[in-house]
Amino acid sequence: MKTLILTALVLAVAGPAFADDTCNVPTDQWQPREALQKKLESQGWKVRSIKTENGCYEAKALDANGKRLEALFNPKTLESVGADSDDG
């Protein structure tokens, strides 16, 4: 049990650092937000907003089932580097 709690604490502290490292991309190499929006919409997402967060793109959207999603994307590759959803 202690290992589980320790692991959770380490991930909580280190998690944002991983996104920062992954999104450490010079702005001249970034793809436009519209490219990310098009990619997400092709996957059935209804994009509410895309903003910059800690060097990553942060997208807030609804999936095809209406579930709220919040995800971080590398601005160069448009690959997901972290996500959260509303399972409620």
Side-chain angles (χ1 to χ4, degrees), residues 10-42:
V10 168
L11 290 176
V13 172
F18 290 134
D20 288 344
D21 289 343
T22 302
C23 295
N24 188 12
V25 177
T27 56
D28 66 337
Q29 296 180 14
W30 287 29
Q31 293 192 49
R33 291 178 185 183
E34 293 80 11
L36 177 58
Q37 182 167 349
K38 185 175 180 179
K39 175 185 174 179
L40 297 177
E41 288 174 348
S42 74

Side-chain angles (χ1 to χ4, degrees), residues 27-68:
T27 56
D28 66 337
Q29 296 180 14
W30 287 29
Q31 293 192 49
R33 291 178 185 183
E34 293 80 11
L36 177 58
Q37 182 167 349
K38 185 175 180 179
K39 175 185 174 179
L40 297 177
E41 288 174 348
S42 74
Q43 297 172 357
W45 292 32
K46 293 181 181 163
V47 178
R48 301 289 187 188
S49 68
I50 298 174
K51 67 178 188 174
T52 302
E53 181 74 27
N54 295 324
C56 296
Y57 280 143
E58 178 186 59
K60 293 184 180 182
L62 300 174
D63 71 6
N65 298 317
K67 184 169 47 167
R68 285 186 286 180

